[in-house]
Amino acid sequence: MNGIYYYLIAFVVIWVLVGIFHERLSKYGVELNFPVIMWKTQRLRGLISRISNLSPTFWRWYMNVGIVVAYGAMIFITWTLISSIPSVFDTPAVSIVIPGVEMPGSSIYIPFFYGLIALATVLIVHEFSHGIQAVGENISIKSIGLLLFFILPGAFVEPDEEELKNAKRSSRLRVYAAGSIANISLAVIALLLVSLVSAGIPNYFAEDGIAIDRIVSDSPSDGILKEGMVLKSIDGQKINDSATYLDVVSSFKPGDNVTVATDQGTYTLTLDKNPNNDSRGYFGIQANKHFELKDDSLGPLPWVLFELGELFQWVFMLNLGIGLFNLLPLKPLDGGYMLEILLSYKLSEEQYKPIVNTLSVIMAMIIVFSIVAGFV
């Protein structure tokens, strides 16, 4: 069964249970306002306040720099999205990514376990950072919680809207920028950890060919090759390492009949068109370096390096991707509110509101178009 169905079943169960027991659950902070289910708590407000009060000066200057970075990132991600329009049907810049689910149009497959952990870091770091900065700007936090919008889960820190509205523009900028800057900062840390793990792997392992990590559903390899197979050669061309593998697979065209030799046998495939380049043949496999342990004196312990490396990789990718996306000049994203505040320094509300609203509609149309194009 496709992983998306497990999610849908789980969300249906949640909606049914909350619908039946919402009166009892309301005592525990659960609110049902279709199409949103929210769970609110005030228990973590003290923790956020303590973190904010550890070094108010640090948080303020960290986010002063963060505001500059956020506007630079806003320009970058907006340009990236707009410039992707001509190639939207080949390589959509935006696609829905769900751990454990293959989404049409997305070349990224997020493993279920690592994906959930990485998404949890995105939500926790993003929302806690909003809260920490709000407390530092003397803006009260009303509640913290989780939400479900139809089938889209999320988290939130709810500041006092009136206090936020009446705060100085610089204070509001720091609050709005805090979430994405924290995600980008965590992405940098995760990238450094990936580099450290990668540097440690050669101390314990030697590269021994290329192994298949995943078979894409309904691809030429589906039902023929299997995950875990080690590639030995393709059409007689020996596969020694990742560089050789990339050179070999890029030489084939759609429709080519290819013989693949593995450690579990030899198989023949008829290649399809590559979703990202119609002129190249498509195997439908995701492969990675295969390693063998140099010294087994530590038992299986060194293999943990690969697990940590993959986890840190997804923490990096999801925090960076979602952090940047949230800085798009599109309301209700943080980037949309930041653009409003920036324009308010020179324009009146009657002037900047239509500009931001129009830009929000344009950005939303491009995003929807990119997502739909992935299904075409």
Side-chain angles (χ1 to χ4, degrees):
M1 181 186 291
N2 191 317
I4 189 65
Y5 296 115
Y6 293 109
Y7 283 96
L8 292 176
I9 292 170
F11 292 142
V12 168
V13 170
I14 291 173
W15 273 102
V16 170
L17 291 177
V18 173
I20 295 173
F21 301 108
H22 69 275
E23 291 187 4
R24 296 182 185 177
L25 293 172
S26 64
K27 301 176 182 177
Y28 302 96
V30 177
E31 298 181 3
L32 175 59
N33 297 299
F34 187 82
V36 178
I37 298 173
M38 300 181 74
W39 172 67
K40 296 182 178 181
T41 181
Q42 298 180 355
R43 293 180 181 177
L44 296 175
R45 293 187 304 170
L47 174 60
I48 289 178
S49 296
R50 287 194 294 274
I51 295 174
S52 180
N53 292 329
L54 284 175
S55 181
T57 302
F58 166 77
W59 293 118
R60 180 177 291 267
W61 282 103
Y62 168 53
M63 210 45 59
N64 283 341
V65 175
I67 291 171
V68 177
V69 174
Y71 280 120
M74 182 188 297
I75 295 171
F76 168 75
I77 191 62
T78 302
W79 170 250
T80 300
L81 183 63
I82 294 174
S83 62
S84 71
I85 295 175
S87 59
V88 68
F89 288 102
D90 296 322
T91 54
V94 180
S95 61
I96 300 172
V97 288
I98 304 175
V101 177
E102 294 178 6
M103 298 300 297
S106 176
S107 59
I108 299 176
Y109 172 81
I110 305 177
F112 179 77
F113 180 71
Y114 295 128
L116 286 184
I117 295 177
L119 280 176
T121 67
V122 172
L123 294 175
I124 293 171
V125 167
H126 187 101
E127 297 303 332
F128 263 61
S129 295
H130 279 312
I132 290 168
Q133 200 62 45
V135 170
E137 302 296 334
N138 297 315
I139 299 169
S140 303
I141 298 175
K142 295 170 66 175
S143 66
I144 302 165
L146 303 173
L147 62 85
L148 183 63
F149 178 75
F150 283 114
I151 61 172
L152 299 176
F156 63 90
V157 169
E158 182 183 17
D160 187 290
E161 294 182 6
E162 195 64 28
E163 292 181 11
L164 180 61
K165 181 179 179 180
N166 294 327
K168 294 188 299 183
R169 284 179 290 197
S170 59
S171 295
R172 284 184 283 147
L173 281 175
R174 283 190 284 267
V175 172
Y176 285 126
S180 289
I181 292 303
N183 288 137
I184 294 172
S185 299
L186 180 56
V188 172
I189 294 171
L191 183 60
L192 293 175
L193 291 173
V194 169
S195 300
L196 288 174
V197 170
S198 299
I201 287 176
N203 295 325
Y204 301 98
F205 298 92
E207 189 174 347
D208 182 31
I210 295 294
I212 298 175
D213 283 344
R214 188 173 73 92
I215 304 294
V216 179
S217 299
D218 300 322
S219 69
S221 297
D222 191 19
I224 301 176
L225 301 180
K226 296 179 181 179
E227 297 176 3
M229 287 182 172
V230 178
L231 302 176
K232 298 298 184 181
S233 67
I234 299 178
D235 252 16
Q237 302 180 69
K238 191 173 181 180
I239 305 298
N240 297 317
D241 51 36
S242 54
T244 305
Y245 168 74
L246 292 174
D247 287 340
V248 171
V249 298
S250 63
S251 66
F252 295 106
K253 306 295 182 184
D256 285 349
N257 292 316
V258 179
T259 301
V260 179
T262 74
D263 62 336
Q264 299 180 31
T266 301
Y267 308 87
T268 301
L269 311 174
T270 301
L271 304 186
D272 204 344
K273 291 182 180 179
N274 192 305
N276 298 322
N277 189 335
D278 287 349
S279 65
R280 288 190 175 184
Y282 180 59
F283 286 77
I285 62 175
Q286 291 183 356
N288 211 332
K289 295 178 181 179
H290 184 257
F291 292 91
E292 61 177 5
L293 195 60
K294 291 180 179 179
D295 183 0
D296 60 359
S297 60
L298 296 177
L301 185 60
W303 291 102
V304 174
L305 289 173
F306 293 102
E307 307 301 324
L308 291 175
E310 187 169 5
L311 174 60
F312 295 147
Q313 174 188 319
W314 288 115
V315 171
F316 161 72
M317 292 183 65
L318 293 187
N319 274 275
L320 180 63
I322 296 175
L324 288 175
F325 181 86
N326 196 59
L327 288 172
L328 282 169
L330 161 67
K331 292 180 68 177
L333 300 182
D334 293 332
Y337 291 109
M338 291 187 67
L339 180 60
E340 273 194 347
I341 296 171
L342 180 65
L343 295 177
S344 72
Y345 280 97
K346 293 294 184 180
L347 303 176
S348 66
E349 184 174 349
E350 291 75 17
Q351 291 174 316
Y352 70 72
K353 282 284 186 181
I355 294 174
V356 175
N357 290 338
T358 300
L359 189 56
S360 294
V361 171
I362 294 173
M363 290 289 104
M365 291 174 63
I366 296 174
I367 291 169
V368 172
F369 180 58
S370 295
I371 292 174
V372 172
F375 289 83
V376 176

Short mmCIF file of all heavy atoms in Angstrom, two decimals, residues 295-345:
data_model
loop_
_atom_site.label_atom_id
_atom_site.label_comp_id
_atom_site.label_asym_id
_atom_site.label_seq_id
_atom_site.Cartn_x
_atom_site.Cartn_y
_atom_site.Cartn_z
N ASP A 295 37.81 -3.15 9.95
CA ASP A 295 38.20 -3.85 11.18
C ASP A 295 36.94 -4.06 12.02
O ASP A 295 36.22 -3.11 12.33
CB ASP A 295 39.23 -3.01 11.95
CG ASP A 295 39.73 -3.70 13.20
OD1 ASP A 295 39.27 -4.83 13.49
OD2 ASP A 295 40.57 -3.10 13.91
N ASP A 296 36.67 -5.32 12.38
CA ASP A 296 35.45 -5.61 13.14
C ASP A 296 35.70 -5.65 14.65
O ASP A 296 34.90 -6.21 15.40
CB ASP A 296 34.85 -6.93 12.68
CG ASP A 296 35.80 -8.11 12.87
OD1 ASP A 296 36.93 -7.89 13.34
OD2 ASP A 296 35.40 -9.24 12.53
N SER A 297 36.77 -5.03 15.11
CA SER A 297 37.08 -5.06 16.54
C SER A 297 36.02 -4.31 17.36
O SER A 297 35.83 -4.61 18.54
CB SER A 297 38.46 -4.45 16.81
OG SER A 297 38.52 -3.10 16.37
N LEU A 298 35.35 -3.35 16.74
CA LEU A 298 34.30 -2.60 17.44
C LEU A 298 32.92 -3.19 17.17
O LEU A 298 31.90 -2.61 17.58
CB LEU A 298 34.32 -1.13 17.01
CG LEU A 298 35.58 -0.34 17.38
CD1 LEU A 298 35.49 1.08 16.83
CD2 LEU A 298 35.77 -0.31 18.89
N GLY A 299 32.86 -4.31 16.50
CA GLY A 299 31.58 -4.92 16.19
C GLY A 299 30.79 -4.09 15.20
O GLY A 299 31.37 -3.43 14.32
N PRO A 300 29.46 -4.05 15.34
CA PRO A 300 28.64 -3.28 14.39
C PRO A 300 28.56 -1.79 14.71
O PRO A 300 27.90 -1.04 13.98
CB PRO A 300 27.26 -3.93 14.56
CG PRO A 300 27.24 -4.39 15.99
CD PRO A 300 28.66 -4.81 16.30
N LEU A 301 29.23 -1.34 15.78
CA LEU A 301 29.11 0.05 16.21
C LEU A 301 29.44 1.08 15.12
O LEU A 301 28.71 2.07 14.97
CB LEU A 301 29.98 0.30 17.44
CG LEU A 301 29.87 1.68 18.09
CD1 LEU A 301 28.44 1.92 18.56
CD2 LEU A 301 30.85 1.80 19.26
N PRO A 302 30.50 0.91 14.32
CA PRO A 302 30.80 1.93 13.30
C PRO A 302 29.69 2.16 12.28
O PRO A 302 29.62 3.23 11.67
CB PRO A 302 32.07 1.38 12.63
CG PRO A 302 32.71 0.54 13.68
CD PRO A 302 31.56 -0.10 14.41
N TRP A 303 28.81 1.16 12.09
CA TRP A 303 27.73 1.34 11.12
C TRP A 303 26.76 2.43 11.53
O TRP A 303 25.99 2.96 10.70
CB TRP A 303 26.97 0.02 10.92
CG TRP A 303 27.78 -1.03 10.23
CD1 TRP A 303 28.42 -2.09 10.81
CD2 TRP A 303 28.07 -1.13 8.82
NE1 TRP A 303 29.08 -2.84 9.86
CE2 TRP A 303 28.87 -2.27 8.63
CE3 TRP A 303 27.71 -0.36 7.72
CZ2 TRP A 303 29.33 -2.66 7.37
CZ3 TRP A 303 28.17 -0.74 6.47
CH2 TRP A 303 28.98 -1.88 6.30
N VAL A 304 26.79 2.79 12.81
CA VAL A 304 25.92 3.88 13.28
C VAL A 304 26.26 5.19 12.57
O VAL A 304 25.41 6.06 12.42
CB VAL A 304 26.07 4.05 14.81
CG1 VAL A 304 25.29 5.26 15.32
CG2 VAL A 304 25.61 2.80 15.53
N LEU A 305 27.50 5.33 12.11
CA LEU A 305 27.90 6.54 11.40
C LEU A 305 27.01 6.80 10.19
O LEU A 305 26.64 7.95 9.91
CB LEU A 305 29.37 6.44 10.96
CG LEU A 305 30.42 6.53 12.06
CD1 LEU A 305 31.80 6.25 11.49
CD2 LEU A 305 30.38 7.90 12.73
N PHE A 306 26.64 5.73 9.47
CA PHE A 306 25.79 5.91 8.28
C PHE A 306 24.39 6.36 8.67
O PHE A 306 23.77 7.18 8.00
CB PHE A 306 25.73 4.61 7.48
CG PHE A 306 27.04 4.23 6.85
CD1 PHE A 306 27.83 3.24 7.41
CD2 PHE A 306 27.48 4.87 5.70
CE1 PHE A 306 29.05 2.90 6.84
CE2 PHE A 306 28.69 4.54 5.12
CZ PHE A 306 29.48 3.55 5.69
N GLU A 307 23.88 5.81 9.78
CA GLU A 307 22.55 6.20 10.24
C GLU A 307 22.54 7.67 10.67
O GLU A 307 21.62 8.42 10.33
CB GLU A 307 22.10 5.31 11.41
CG GLU A 307 22.17 3.82 11.12
CD GLU A 307 21.30 3.42 9.94
OE1 GLU A 307 20.22 4.01 9.75
OE2 GLU A 307 21.72 2.53 9.17
N LEU A 308 23.58 8.06 11.40
CA LEU A 308 23.67 9.45 11.84
C LEU A 308 23.84 10.38 10.64
O LEU A 308 23.22 11.47 10.59
CB LEU A 308 24.86 9.63 12.79
CG LEU A 308 24.72 8.98 14.17
CD1 LEU A 308 26.02 9.14 14.95
CD2 LEU A 308 23.56 9.60 14.95
N GLY A 309 24.66 9.97 9.68
CA GLY A 309 24.87 10.79 8.49
C GLY A 309 23.58 11.03 7.73
O GLY A 309 23.30 12.15 7.29
N GLU A 310 22.76 9.99 7.58
CA GLU A 310 21.50 10.15 6.85
C GLU A 310 20.52 11.02 7.64
O GLU A 310 19.82 11.85 7.05
CB GLU A 310 20.88 8.78 6.57
CG GLU A 310 19.66 8.87 5.67
CD GLU A 310 19.19 7.52 5.16
OE1 GLU A 310 19.76 6.49 5.58
OE2 GLU A 310 18.26 7.50 4.34
N LEU A 311 20.47 10.82 8.96
CA LEU A 311 19.58 11.64 9.77
C LEU A 311 19.97 13.12 9.68
O LEU A 311 19.11 13.98 9.44
CB LEU A 311 19.64 11.19 11.23
CG LEU A 311 18.87 12.06 12.24
CD1 LEU A 311 17.39 12.10 11.89
CD2 LEU A 311 19.08 11.54 13.66
N PHE A 312 21.25 13.42 9.84
CA PHE A 312 21.70 14.82 9.77
C PHE A 312 21.46 15.39 8.38
O PHE A 312 21.18 16.58 8.23
CB PHE A 312 23.19 14.92 10.13
CG PHE A 312 23.49 14.55 11.55
CD1 PHE A 312 24.69 13.93 11.88
CD2 PHE A 312 22.58 14.80 12.57
CE1 PHE A 312 24.99 13.60 13.19
CE2 PHE A 312 22.86 14.46 13.89
CZ PHE A 312 24.06 13.86 14.20
N GLN A 313 21.56 14.55 7.36
CA GLN A 313 21.32 15.02 5.99
C GLN A 313 19.88 15.50 5.83
O GLN A 313 19.64 16.57 5.23
CB GLN A 313 21.58 13.88 5.00
CG GLN A 313 21.22 14.21 3.56
CD GLN A 313 21.33 13.00 2.65
OE1 GLN A 313 22.28 12.21 2.78
NE2 GLN A 313 20.40 12.85 1.73
N TRP A 314 18.92 14.74 6.37
CA TRP A 314 17.52 15.14 6.24
C TRP A 314 17.18 16.32 7.14
O TRP A 314 16.34 17.16 6.78
CB TRP A 314 16.60 13.95 6.51
CG TRP A 314 16.64 12.96 5.40
CD1 TRP A 314 17.11 11.67 5.44
CD2 TRP A 314 16.23 13.17 4.05
NE1 TRP A 314 17.03 11.08 4.22
CE2 TRP A 314 16.49 11.98 3.34
CE3 TRP A 314 15.69 14.26 3.36
CZ2 TRP A 314 16.21 11.84 1.98
CZ3 TRP A 314 15.41 14.13 2.01
CH2 TRP A 314 15.67 12.94 1.34
N VAL A 315 17.83 16.40 8.30
CA VAL A 315 17.65 17.58 9.16
C VAL A 315 18.12 18.83 8.40
O VAL A 315 17.46 19.88 8.42
CB VAL A 315 18.43 17.43 10.48
CG1 VAL A 315 18.43 18.75 11.26
CG2 VAL A 315 17.80 16.33 11.33
N PHE A 316 19.24 18.71 7.72
CA PHE A 316 19.76 19.82 6.90
C PHE A 316 18.80 20.19 5.78
O PHE A 316 18.41 21.36 5.64
CB PHE A 316 21.13 19.44 6.32
CG PHE A 316 21.54 20.28 5.14
CD1 PHE A 316 21.92 21.61 5.32
CD2 PHE A 316 21.53 19.75 3.86
CE1 PHE A 316 22.29 22.39 4.23
CE2 PHE A 316 21.89 20.53 2.77
CZ PHE A 316 22.27 21.86 2.96
N MET A 317 18.38 19.21 4.99
CA MET A 317 17.57 19.49 3.81
C MET A 317 16.21 20.07 4.17
O MET A 317 15.75 21.04 3.56
CB MET A 317 17.42 18.22 2.97
CG MET A 317 18.71 17.75 2.32
SD MET A 317 18.48 16.31 1.26
CE MET A 317 17.43 16.99 -0.03
N LEU A 318 15.53 19.48 5.15
CA LEU A 318 14.18 19.94 5.48
C LEU A 318 14.20 21.29 6.19
O LEU A 318 13.35 22.14 5.92
CB LEU A 318 13.46 18.89 6.32
CG LEU A 318 13.15 17.57 5.61
CD1 LEU A 318 12.28 16.68 6.49
CD2 LEU A 318 12.45 17.81 4.28
N ASN A 319 15.16 21.50 7.09
CA ASN A 319 15.23 22.79 7.75
C ASN A 319 15.58 23.90 6.76
O ASN A 319 15.00 24.99 6.82
CB ASN A 319 16.24 22.76 8.90
CG ASN A 319 15.65 22.26 10.19
OD1 ASN A 319 15.06 23.01 10.95
ND2 ASN A 319 15.80 20.96 10.43
N LEU A 320 16.51 23.63 5.86
CA LEU A 320 16.88 24.65 4.87
C LEU A 320 15.72 24.91 3.91
O LEU A 320 15.35 26.07 3.68
CB LEU A 320 18.11 24.21 4.09
CG LEU A 320 18.61 25.19 3.03
CD1 LEU A 320 19.04 26.51 3.68
CD2 LEU A 320 19.75 24.60 2.22
N GLY A 321 15.13 23.84 3.37
CA GLY A 321 14.06 24.01 2.39
C GLY A 321 12.83 24.70 2.96
O GLY A 321 12.30 25.65 2.38
N ILE A 322 12.37 24.24 4.12
CA ILE A 322 11.17 24.82 4.72
C ILE A 322 11.45 26.21 5.28
O ILE A 322 10.60 27.11 5.20
CB ILE A 322 10.61 23.88 5.80
CG1 ILE A 322 10.16 22.56 5.15
CG2 ILE A 322 9.45 24.53 6.56
CD1 ILE A 322 9.70 21.50 6.14
N GLY A 323 12.65 26.40 5.83
CA GLY A 323 13.02 27.72 6.33
C GLY A 323 13.02 28.76 5.22
O GLY A 323 12.50 29.87 5.38
N LEU A 324 13.59 28.42 4.06
CA LEU A 324 13.61 29.34 2.92
C LEU A 324 12.21 29.56 2.37
O LEU A 324 11.81 30.68 2.05
CB LEU A 324 14.52 28.79 1.82
CG LEU A 324 16.02 28.85 2.09
CD1 LEU A 324 16.78 28.15 0.97
CD2 LEU A 324 16.50 30.29 2.23
N PHE A 325 11.43 28.48 2.25
CA PHE A 325 10.06 28.59 1.72
C PHE A 325 9.24 29.55 2.56
O PHE A 325 8.45 30.35 2.04
CB PHE A 325 9.41 27.21 1.70
CG PHE A 325 8.01 27.21 1.14
CD1 PHE A 325 7.81 27.11 -0.23
CD2 PHE A 325 6.91 27.30 1.97
CE1 PHE A 325 6.51 27.12 -0.76
CE2 PHE A 325 5.62 27.31 1.46
CZ PHE A 325 5.43 27.22 0.09
N ASN A 326 9.42 29.51 3.87
CA ASN A 326 8.64 30.35 4.77
C ASN A 326 8.99 31.83 4.63
O ASN A 326 8.27 32.69 5.13
CB ASN A 326 8.85 29.90 6.21
CG ASN A 326 7.80 30.45 7.15
OD1 ASN A 326 6.61 30.22 6.98
ND2 ASN A 326 8.24 31.21 8.14
N LEU A 327 10.10 32.14 3.94
CA LEU A 327 10.50 33.52 3.74
C LEU A 327 10.01 34.09 2.40
O LEU A 327 10.33 35.23 2.07
CB LEU A 327 12.03 33.65 3.82
CG LEU A 327 12.61 33.49 5.23
CD1 LEU A 327 14.12 33.44 5.19
CD2 LEU A 327 12.13 34.61 6.15
N LEU A 328 9.25 33.32 1.65
CA LEU A 328 8.66 33.86 0.43
C LEU A 328 7.77 35.05 0.77
O LEU A 328 7.09 35.05 1.80
CB LEU A 328 7.84 32.78 -0.28
CG LEU A 328 8.60 31.73 -1.08
CD1 LEU A 328 7.68 30.59 -1.49
CD2 LEU A 328 9.24 32.36 -2.32
N PRO A 329 7.75 36.07 -0.08
CA PRO A 329 6.91 37.25 0.17
C PRO A 329 5.44 36.94 -0.07
O PRO A 329 4.82 37.44 -1.02
CB PRO A 329 7.45 38.28 -0.83
CG PRO A 329 7.98 37.46 -1.95
CD PRO A 329 8.55 36.22 -1.31
N LEU A 330 4.90 36.11 0.77
CA LEU A 330 3.55 35.57 0.58
C LEU A 330 2.88 35.47 1.95
O LEU A 330 3.37 34.78 2.83
CB LEU A 330 3.65 34.18 -0.08
CG LEU A 330 2.46 33.24 0.02
CD1 LEU A 330 1.28 33.79 -0.77
CD2 LEU A 330 2.84 31.86 -0.52
N LYS A 331 1.80 36.17 2.12
CA LYS A 331 1.03 36.03 3.36
C LYS A 331 0.14 34.81 3.23
O LYS A 331 -0.38 34.53 2.15
CB LYS A 331 0.20 37.29 3.59
CG LYS A 331 1.04 38.53 3.93
CD LYS A 331 0.17 39.76 4.14
CE LYS A 331 -0.66 39.63 5.40
NZ LYS A 331 -1.45 40.87 5.63
N PRO A 332 0.01 34.00 4.30
CA PRO A 332 0.36 34.29 5.69
C PRO A 332 1.73 33.80 6.13
O PRO A 332 1.96 33.59 7.33
CB PRO A 332 -0.74 33.54 6.44
CG PRO A 332 -0.96 32.31 5.62
CD PRO A 332 -0.78 32.76 4.19
N LEU A 333 2.66 33.56 5.21
CA LEU A 333 4.01 33.15 5.60
C LEU A 333 4.72 34.33 6.27
O LEU A 333 4.39 35.50 6.06
CB LEU A 333 4.80 32.67 4.39
CG LEU A 333 4.24 31.46 3.62
CD1 LEU A 333 5.16 31.09 2.47
CD2 LEU A 333 4.05 30.27 4.56
N ASP A 334 5.75 34.03 7.05
CA ASP A 334 6.48 35.08 7.74
C ASP A 334 7.09 36.08 6.78
O ASP A 334 7.16 37.28 7.08
CB ASP A 334 7.60 34.46 8.60
CG ASP A 334 7.06 33.64 9.76
OD1 ASP A 334 5.94 33.96 10.24
OD2 ASP A 334 7.73 32.69 10.19
N GLY A 335 7.53 35.60 5.61
CA GLY A 335 8.11 36.50 4.62
C GLY A 335 7.13 37.57 4.16
O GLY A 335 7.53 38.72 3.89
N GLY A 336 5.86 37.22 4.05
CA GLY A 336 4.85 38.20 3.65
C GLY A 336 4.71 39.32 4.66
O GLY A 336 4.62 40.50 4.31
N TYR A 337 4.69 38.98 5.95
CA TYR A 337 4.59 40.00 7.00
C TYR A 337 5.86 40.85 7.06
O TYR A 337 5.80 42.06 7.31
CB TYR A 337 4.34 39.33 8.35
CG TYR A 337 2.96 38.72 8.45
CD1 TYR A 337 2.79 37.34 8.45
CD2 TYR A 337 1.83 39.52 8.55
CE1 TYR A 337 1.52 36.77 8.54
CE2 TYR A 337 0.55 38.96 8.65
CZ TYR A 337 0.41 37.59 8.64
OH TYR A 337 -0.84 37.04 8.72
N MET A 338 7.03 40.21 6.83
CA MET A 338 8.28 40.96 6.84
C MET A 338 8.33 41.97 5.70
O MET A 338 8.83 43.09 5.86
CB MET A 338 9.47 40.00 6.77
CG MET A 338 9.69 39.15 8.01
SD MET A 338 11.22 38.20 7.94
CE MET A 338 12.44 39.51 8.01
N LEU A 339 7.80 41.59 4.54
CA LEU A 339 7.77 42.51 3.41
C LEU A 339 6.86 43.70 3.72
O LEU A 339 7.18 44.85 3.40
CB LEU A 339 7.30 41.80 2.15
CG LEU A 339 7.23 42.66 0.88
CD1 LEU A 339 8.60 43.24 0.54
CD2 LEU A 339 6.69 41.86 -0.29
N GLU A 340 5.72 43.43 4.34
CA GLU A 340 4.81 44.51 4.73
C GLU A 340 5.51 45.51 5.64
O GLU A 340 5.39 46.73 5.45
CB GLU A 340 3.58 43.94 5.45
CG GLU A 340 2.46 43.53 4.54
CD GLU A 340 1.17 43.30 5.30
OE1 GLU A 340 1.21 43.20 6.54
OE2 GLU A 340 0.13 43.20 4.64
N ILE A 341 6.21 45.00 6.64
CA ILE A 341 6.88 45.88 7.59
C ILE A 341 7.96 46.70 6.88
O ILE A 341 8.11 47.90 7.13
CB ILE A 341 7.49 45.06 8.74
CG1 ILE A 341 6.38 44.37 9.54
CG2 ILE A 341 8.32 45.96 9.67
CD1 ILE A 341 6.88 43.37 10.57
N LEU A 342 8.71 46.06 5.99
CA LEU A 342 9.76 46.78 5.25
C LEU A 342 9.16 47.91 4.42
O LEU A 342 9.66 49.05 4.43
CB LEU A 342 10.51 45.80 4.34
CG LEU A 342 11.64 46.41 3.50
CD1 LEU A 342 12.75 46.93 4.41
CD2 LEU A 342 12.19 45.37 2.52
N LEU A 343 8.08 47.63 3.71
CA LEU A 343 7.44 48.65 2.87
C LEU A 343 6.82 49.76 3.70
O LEU A 343 6.71 50.91 3.26
CB LEU A 343 6.38 48.01 1.97
CG LEU A 343 6.89 47.02 0.92
CD1 LEU A 343 5.71 46.41 0.16
CD2 LEU A 343 7.85 47.70 -0.05
N SER A 344 6.42 49.43 4.93
CA SER A 344 5.75 50.43 5.78
C SER A 344 6.68 51.56 6.20
O SER A 344 6.22 52.62 6.64
CB SER A 344 5.18 49.75 7.03
OG SER A 344 6.22 49.37 7.93
N TYR A 345 8.00 51.37 6.04
CA TYR A 345 8.93 52.44 6.36
C TYR A 345 8.82 53.60 5.37
O TYR A 345 9.17 54.74 5.69
CB TYR A 345 10.37 51.91 6.37
CG TYR A 345 10.76 51.17 7.63
CD1 TYR A 345 10.69 49.79 7.69
CD2 TYR A 345 11.20 51.86 8.76
CE1 TYR A 345 11.05 49.10 8.84
CE2 TYR A 345 11.56 51.18 9.91
CZ TYR A 345 11.48 49.80 9.95
OH TYR A 345 11.83 49.13 11.10
#
